[in-house]
Amino acid sequence: MIWASFAFMTGAVVLAVLWPLGRARASSVRAPDVAFYHSQLEEIQRDLSLGLLTPEDAEAAKTEAGRRLLQNADGGETKSGSRTAVRLAAVFALVVIPAFSLSLYSRIGSPDAPDLPLQARAAEREGNAELMSAIGKIEQHLAANPDDGRGWEIIGPVYMKLGRYEEAARAFANASRVLGDSAERLVAQGESLVYAAQERVTPEAAELFEKALELREGNPVAYFYLALAREQMGDRDGALDAFSNLARGTPPDAPWQAAVRARIVALGGRIEAIESVQNAIPSEQQAMIRAMVDQLAGKLEQNGQDAEGWARLIRSYTVLRAQDLAKAALGKARAALAKDADGLKRINTLADELGLKG
Amino acid sequence: MAAVKSHEEHAVIVETGHYALVLALALAIVQGLAPLVGAIRRDGELMAMAQPAAVMQFLLVAFSFGALTYSYVTSDFSVTNVFENSHSLKPLIYKISGVWGNHEGSMLLWVLILAAFGATVALFSRGMPDDLRALVLAVQSWIAAAFLLFVLLTSNPFARLDPAPIDGRDLNPLLQDPGLAIHPPLLYIGYVGFSITFSFALAALISGRIDAAWARYIRPWTLGAWVFLTLGIAMGSYWAYYTLGWGGFWFWDPVENASLLPWLAGTALLHSAAVMEKRDALKIWTIFLAILAFSLSLLGTFLVRSGVLTSVHSFASDPQRGIFILAILVFFIGGSLALFAFRASALKPGGIFAPVSREGALVLNNLLLTTSCATVFIGTLYPLALEAVTGEKISVGAPFFNLTFGPLFIPILLAMPIGQMLAWKRGDLLGAAQRLVLATALGVVGTLVLYALRGGDVVPAVLAGLAIYLTIGSFVEIAGRLSGAPSASAVLARALGLPRSAWGAAFAHAGVGLTLFGLAATGWGVERIVSVKPGEAVSAGPYEVVIMSIAPREGPNYNELVAHTQIREGGRVIAEIDPSRRSFTTRTMVRTEAGIVTLGLGQVYMNIADVRVDGAIDLRLYWKPYVALIWIGALVMALGGLLSMSDRRLRIGIAKRAAAHVQTAAAE
């Protein structure tokens, strides 16, 4: 049905364009000029009678207007078009208009989506009313018992779904306050803040994601938003690296892969490089990761003043279950960062977290 | 476009509107090419394709706009744009104004107005040479194609959501206001109106034919665009005045400057086109101004729509839309200026004229207007450029503009009545000055009297005196023509016999005078910040303001705290106002609603700045004498523009009638 009306519209447009073709059109371009000249003479007469012009000036103005008319006399006549040009234009219109519109619309349109006015959604609205009253009850309950962490945790995702992102963030923050930090809660709070800020990763949200990563190494959602934060701050290379790592390091059928790949493409990265890694057999993948870790270790050997780098290296060794190497790296890091109190603290906290001794 | 609603349960109006927009783009491409080729080859058939195409293009875009409006009115939250900017409980008028209260919808409105102008040219231009019309419509169609592409690829208002949310996120409360419902359409009609003069300029450059007749063809369009832009700027300034709660009406904010720039260029264009029409001079300059006015309109659109103003950095991190508009900007401004540089020398130069004459005065006006335009341009763009290059954020505020724009504008104001008194070709400066003696004397007396009465700073009194001179001086020329008539009916007959454009100029100039008076009078205002409880009274200028009650009230999609207030003069109640503070539930935003009452030409303005725990409220209270004149002046300016537009020689079909007249004359 929808395509029929599209066809009808397209036909109407093509007809409107073709309509003037084939109707003989020979007219003088000059008629309007002559008419203008006469109206100008009238006007000069009027200005003269109003005293805006002296009689001599009016005479001069008339001569001038006449001279202008003659000057433009090279305007010439239009002719009825050559048959080839007209035929070409007709074919052009006949082909370009339907081909262009249908191909563009099929790329960006949603022909299968009917109108969905609110009136036609009575059942949903009723469900919504029930949901709203349920939310109201939970809200009342939470107002009276603000320390019910489970309650906050239940209502947070509901707010998220309704698009009430600020309230969702507040609910998750309350849940964390009562139940203590968990990677899931921190990520959920951070994500609400990102949505509330029109999908910008605010510093506040970034801090939550970092905290979540400290609690649980490699939380993909937190990792994704931190990469997005880099992109939004203009660090394209850093963002591309991070997105690529995420795409490589997680299963190819993970739900976030599509979003991650979209970012990689948007940043000008190549998907094939990632796919070659993902298709590789696990041991090969391990080897590739190993090679990357070794590269990082080499870098740190040359320049050890990089607490962040050391932390990453130690983590990577832990993930690869190379406890000995992790411990050795920890020792090296402590030696290299001896003068960097902050860095040392960071490394020691990490060591505690990962349960490394030595 | 019919047969859309055949299945009631499967109506597809939204998608049909989407397709109509795509089709409009395809049509615009054809309309941009065929008539152009036709005009160059002098092929009547190809040229004739332009008219039906332009009308059809308008119908398509109008249908598309209607479909989007329909989805807003029916709260169809399967449309992303509706979900993001509407709410089922929003009052109907804001459901409709919500269509253009957001980026995507406002760009669709832009394109709609563009198409409407194109269709108007196609339908009402019988007296115009065929090749000129074909070229104008072709150029107009390039602009339409660029913006349609922009809308469809980066800002599509027809993007859909599946599953559809059950309710929307509501419109920004600041925009839920009658002023903002009409401000963008007015402003856009102004902006986009200059696209027609731009198209005329490019058509002249392409065909190499430009003459006094050309200047007459563009005159109604320039005037129309100017009238709407004037109204749009005034509306925007009044909106800022009563919404932002600071009692200010012009902040030299980049968004405001973006609308002032095309206004200044357009005003210059209006005057230089008058010289061209009467004297066949200033041709190349007029073409340049026509290009400039629309370029500045495009720049305004770019500044407001790309997000570059909020932060250069946010622009840089999400540049898709911004880059696209920038590309449009570069293509049209760069392209037209290149064409101008390449072809301007081929145009036949116009006549020369004496410096002391009407046309000489208009050249002075042009120089001063374009210089002040350049000043605003620099003040607006310099901070952006600096931030982009060095990352340093500076703000160029009112002091810069007052110091640069002010001194440039005062000579314009002084010279305005004198220019009106000069005759074409050869003017008598001394005579003109003599006839202005009365206006000058009244201005000086006004200054002295106001200074004596009001005291304080001398600047407001001097500016008010200048405003009096300007307002009265605007009508001296007309008064001179009417004086000496033997009876009242003769005066009336003479008044009606005067060209409407003379009346138009007088009113437009007087409007500037009235606005200036309103601006000058801000120096005599009273401003107070007080904390009050119900039952308490405060004074504001000559009036006493009594808070009767402070109570909550419920609106359709907000709750508000209302301070019911009486304004008394000498113990007598002369007005009541209800300033309030509204909390919008969905957006969790607060907006204050100023209480304003106009007394004479002045206003008492009251805004709730804060609510205290003990039930008291902090009030921002102003008495602003003559402030209404600022906007009344703008209305009078617009009235002048409309009068000028209705001038006999501009009425549609004039050329045709004149031709018929000549034929009958020849027959006799």
Side-chain angles (χ1 to χ4, degrees), chain A residues 22 27 43 47 50 105 114, chain B residues 15 45 130 160 216 278 481:
Chain A
S27 68
E43 214 176 296
D47 283 355
L50 288 170
Y105 179 80
Chain B
E15 283 307 312
E45 283 175 70
D130 287 345
R160 303 297 291 269
R216 172 162 305 181
K278 283 273 189 185
R481 307 223 166 283

Side-chain angles (χ1 to χ4, degrees), chain B residues 289-310:
Chain B
L289 281 179
I291 292 176
L292 185 71
F294 185 60
S295 299
L296 291 171
S297 297
L298 280 180
L299 182 80
T301 310
F302 168 72
L303 286 179
V304 177
R305 285 288 145 223
S306 66
V308 71
L309 287 179
T310 359

Side-chain angles (χ1 to χ4, degrees), chain A residues 1-2 5-10 12-13 16-25 27-29 32-33 35-36 38-40 42-43 46-47 50-54 56-57 60-61 64 68 71-72 74-83 85-86 89 92-93 96-98 100-102 104-105 108-111 113-119 121 124-125 128 132 162-163 165-167 195-196 198 200 231-234, chain B residues 1-4 6-7 9-16 18-20 22-23 25-27 29-30 33-34 41-49 51-53 56 60 63 70 74-78 88 127-131 149 152-153 156 160 164-166 169 209-213 216-217 277-280 314 317 348 358 422-426 477 481 497-499 501 588 647-649 654-656 658-659 661-662:
Chain A
M1 192 52 226
I2 191 169
S5 54
F6 286 4
F8 172 78
M9 287 160 72
T10 317
V13 167
V17 173
L18 296 185
W19 178 63
L21 297 182
R23 305 165 126 238
R25 283 246 167 188
S27 68
S28 169
V29 179
D33 280 348
F36 178 75
H38 287 295
S39 76
Q40 221 173 18
E42 270 179 42
E43 214 176 296
R46 191 183 66 179
D47 283 355
L50 288 170
L52 273 172
L53 282 171
T54 62
E56 309 87 73
D57 282 347
E64 209 178 284
R68 258 180 257 145
Q71 237 175 33
N72 289 329
D74 56 359
E77 310 287 307
T78 56
K79 50 190 188 227
S80 189
S82 80
R83 301 318 302 161
V86 168
F92 182 74
V96 167
I97 292 179
F100 181 91
S101 337
L102 291 173
L104 179 59
Y105 179 80
I108 62 174
S110 323
D115 294 350
L116 209 56
L118 203 57
Q119 258 189 333
R121 300 167 71 188
E124 267 181 274
R125 269 158 86 199
N128 187 49
M132 287 301 162
L162 291 173
Y165 304 121
E166 287 95 352
E167 284 160 296
Y195 277 109
Q198 265 90 50
R200 295 197 60 74
E231 183 187 336
Q232 289 172 353
M233 279 186 303
Chain B
M1 266 170 270
V4 173
S6 57
H7 296 254
E9 64 276 27
H10 288 305
V12 283
I13 295 174
V14 175
E15 283 307 312
T16 314
H18 193 177
Y19 183 70
V22 174
L23 205 49
L25 172 60
L27 180 58
I29 295 170
V30 174
L33 291 175
R41 297 170 52 112
R42 294 207 165 279
D43 182 326
E45 283 175 70
L46 289 185
M47 285 196 267
M49 282 170 88
Q51 280 161 288
M56 199 61 176
L60 288 169
F63 180 82
Y70 167 82
T74 59
S75 290
D76 185 340
F77 298 117
S78 70
S88 57
M128 202 186 283
D130 287 345
D131 59 339
L149 202 61
L152 286 168
L153 295 188
N156 196 332
R160 303 297 291 269
I166 195 70
R169 297 176 58 187
R209 246 163 51 97
I210 176 166
D211 46 33
R216 172 162 305 181
Y217 297 137
E277 186 186 335
K278 283 273 189 185
R279 302 280 292 114
D280 206 38
S314 79
S317 64
K348 288 171 192 157
R358 175 79 66 99
L422 294 174
W424 291 101
K425 286 183 88 104
R426 238 177 318 180
E477 196 226 345
R481 307 223 166 283
L498 281 177
S501 57
T588 56
D647 192 277
R648 202 167 58 94
R649 68 177 195 271
I654 175 81
K656 206 167 155 192
H661 175 74
V662 170

Side-chain angles (χ1 to χ4, degrees), chain B residues 101-158:
Chain B
N102 63 83
H103 170 78
E104 289 82 0
S106 71
M107 288 321 293
L108 187 60
L109 177 68
W110 211 98
V111 177
L112 174 68
I113 295 171
L114 192 70
F117 273 112
T120 322
V121 172
L123 290 174
F124 302 105
S125 59
R126 297 278 143 75
M128 202 186 283
D130 287 345
D131 59 339
L132 182 62
R133 176 176 46 231
L135 284 172
V136 167
L137 290 177
V139 176
Q140 189 76 6
S141 205
W142 299 344
I143 307 171
F147 275 91
L148 282 167
L149 202 61
F150 172 71
V151 168
L152 286 168
L153 295 188
T154 75
S155 315
N156 196 332
F158 291 104

